[in-house]
């Protein structure tokens, strides 16, 4: 049985069913979830039926697409309704992210070279930013910036830590007014979230079964009732990733769960310490708002296919306003790559325009009554009017101005958008607009990519945006790699890395006339000026000291905690050699954090009779949060520094 075939279940329903189980049945719950996953299902309207055995059926009734009450899950076994099957079905189904309820509106010493608690408090952030930019769900949070970072000797100033980027002020809440400080109910809800998140770190993925997940779901439901949608969304993200990890989902990545846990713990921590506008940002938004933007004159840039791991497919067309602002018009729904290829030639859902997405990428629009979300998505409400207008070439105003900004400034702007803890309402995009000279193919550990040189002499690695064989990305990049010396105007998406790296989305035609949507249009060998190209035996040494930073030694320990839990990290033993190497690279704060994290994981105190006391899960969670946020901040700083002009390019 695939969990996607089950209807989403409200978090409070799953939590209630698990809480009502006897201690004996709770011990059997994880096995019951696995066993139920092997059974067949069938759908009849709003009801999904699972065959528990030859004589017993389990039904989930989901009017409106969501199982919203415990009574909507029924079982035909003799022990029902107190059986384990109902809770197992709820745990196997996706967790529903419901709109906020408005009816319950609330009126031995560890070495510590820097204060780990203070660092966690300063850099803790919160969640629910979607990793997939094409997701069709609303974003539910705003995320604060990284506060501090180490820099290597070549890039460090006299101080050891420095801000990564400046952030725009956090937007106000949806409600008309917000309290200066969190209410007691909100602080209690945040404490419950912190405890639930710390329990996940204590147990690790292998130990965070259905009971641990139900505690997170209960805390998420309570947080939503207390008007904390940002924290609630983070908890649901953690549950979803835990289930994917335990099910062996091939799309699961440990780094995603690290980010989600850091967002959850950071938000929960800051609810009790924030006030005023900062508290409003920590609480977050329940829905993405679309605000009026008057009349817009838009010019098409390109169209990209969107294919997600969740089975959605479609397109996103990028356009620019006369003032240089970037907007998107999307059409993404269940359907995969087949839908992406088909939707590209369908009419854009915006006003009375008859343009298809592919045509809009090269034409223009005049829009009246426009509505725009904070991340630049154009609304398609009834009041929006749009008619076809003349487009502009990439070399003509106003589009030409996009390529005039220095690459380092573009990278810094894009990094604010693509950061793990980016503010989803902060605006901006992760696109870069570069004039490059192609250098040819270069081999990497994961395959090969296209090497190019942009302004300032910065070498940039251009990679394939999507490897699906039905899309043209891979074939086009391979052909471009066979034409060293070709000069192109390109659009790419920043990939955070210690060296300059982009996924290639669109480029000017090698002949100099027209543009190429690299996901849809297919170049021919006859389009290229040179049919042969040398292949470098190894990539050139990446510029910037961050390319060889030992920061990964701390990142590795942070990630190891998630699958195995605190105890496994505590068994690693002495990390003196690793901390010495980190200090030699000019990262004393990272060395201190690694020492404190491993010491906290190994610490187990005893009482007067020699019996082990319970582990300090809160203390360990604080150290882990500080290390997770710190590594993300330093990685972003190193990525930004890598885009600075080289000495040769500056001459």
């Amino acid at each position: 049985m695939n969990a996607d075939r089950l209807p989403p279940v409200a978090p409070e329903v799953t939590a209630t069913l698990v809480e009502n189980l006897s201690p004996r049945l709770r011990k059997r719950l994880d096995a019951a979830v696995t066993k139920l996953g092997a059974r067949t299902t069938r759908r009849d309207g709003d009801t999904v039926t699972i065959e528990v055995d030859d004589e017993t059926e389990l039904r989930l009734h989901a009017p409106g697409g969501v199982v919203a009450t415990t009574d909507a899950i029924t079982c035909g076994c003799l022990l029902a309704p107190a059986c384990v099957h109902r809770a197992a079905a709820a745990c196997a189904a996706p967790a529903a992210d419901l709109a906020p309820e408005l009816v319950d509106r609330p009126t031995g010493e560890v070495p510590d070279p820097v204060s780990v608690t203070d660092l966690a408090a300063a850099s803790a952030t919160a969640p629910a930013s979607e990793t997939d930019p094409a997701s069709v769900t609303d974003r539910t949070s705003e995320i604060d910036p990284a506060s501090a970072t180490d820099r290597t000797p070549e890039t460090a100033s006299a101080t050891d830590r420095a801000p990564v980027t400046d952030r725009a002020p956090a937007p106000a809440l949806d409600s008309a007014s917000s309290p200066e400080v969190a209410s007691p109910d909100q602080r209690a809800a945040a404490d419950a979230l912190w405890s639930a998140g710390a329990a996940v770190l204590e147990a690790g993925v292998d130990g965070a079964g259905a009971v641990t997940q139900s505690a997170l779901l209960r805390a998420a439901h309570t947080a939503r009732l207390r008007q904390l949608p940002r924290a609630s969304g983070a908890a649901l993200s953690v549950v979803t990733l835990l289930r994917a990890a335990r099910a062996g989902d091939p799309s699961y990545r440990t780094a995603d769960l690290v980010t989600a846990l850091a967002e959850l713990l950071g938000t929960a921590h800051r609810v009790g310490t924030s006030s005023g506008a900062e508290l409003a940002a920590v609480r977050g938004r329940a829905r993405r708002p679309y605000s009026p933007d008057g009349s817009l004159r838009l010019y098409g840039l390109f169209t990209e296919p969107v294919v997600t791991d969740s089975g959605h497919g479609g397109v996103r067309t990028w356009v620019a306003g006369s003032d240089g602002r970037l907007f998107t018009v999307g059409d993404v729904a269940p359907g995969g790559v087949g839908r992406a290829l088909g939707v590209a030639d369908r009419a854009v859902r915006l006003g009375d325009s008859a343009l298809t997405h592919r045509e809009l990428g090269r034409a223009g629009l005049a829009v009246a009554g426009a509505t725009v979300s904070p991340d630049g998505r154009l609304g398609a409400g009834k009041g929006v009017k749009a008619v076809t207008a003349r487009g502009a070439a990439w070399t003509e105003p106003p589009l030409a101005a996009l390529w005039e900004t220095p690459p380092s400034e573009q990278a810094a702007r894009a990094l604010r958008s693509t950061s793990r803890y980016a503010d989803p309402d902060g605006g901006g995009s992760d696109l870069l607009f570069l004039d490059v000279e192609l250098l040819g193919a270069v081999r990497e550990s994961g395959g090969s990519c296209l090497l190019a040189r942009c302004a300032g002499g910065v070498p940039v690695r251009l990679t394939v945006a999507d490897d699906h064989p039905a899309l043209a990305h891979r074939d086009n990049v391979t052909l471009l790699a066979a034409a060293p010396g070709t000069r192109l105007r390109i659009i790419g998406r920043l990939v955070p890395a210690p060296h300059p790296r982009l996924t290639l989305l669109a480029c000017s035609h090698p002949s100099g006339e027209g543009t190429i949507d690299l996901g849809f249009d297919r170049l021919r060998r006859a389009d290229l000026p040179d049919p042969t190209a040398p292949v470098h035996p190894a990539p050139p040494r990446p510029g910037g000291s961050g390319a060889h930073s030992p920061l990964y030694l701390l990142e590795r320990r942070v990630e190891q905690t998630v699958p195995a839990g605190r105890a496994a990290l505590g068994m690693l033993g002495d990390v003196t050699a690793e901390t010495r190497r980190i200090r030699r690279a000019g990262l004393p704060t990272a060395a201190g954090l690694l020492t404190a994290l491993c010491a906290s994981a190994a610490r187990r105190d005893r009482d007067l009779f020699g019996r082990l006391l319970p582990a300090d899960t809160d203390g360990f969670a604080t150290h882990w949060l500080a290390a997770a946020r710190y590594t993300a901040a330093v990685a972003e700083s190193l990525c930004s520094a890598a885009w600075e002009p080289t000495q040769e390019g500056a001459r």
Side-chain angles (χ1 to χ4, degrees), residues 87-101:
C91 292
D97 187 5
L98 301 178
E101 310 274 349

Side-chain angles (χ1 to χ4, degrees), residues 26-27 39 54 76 108 132 166 174 240 299 338 357 373-374 392 421 454 465 483 486 508 521 532 539 561 641:
R26 289 190 187 185
K27 294 179 180 180
R39 310 305 297 178
D54 293 340
D132 181 5
D166 292 332
D174 293 335
T240 300
Y299 300 85
H357 280 274
S373 72
Y421 305 99
C454 68
T486 302
S508 58
D521 302 326
T532 62
T561 306

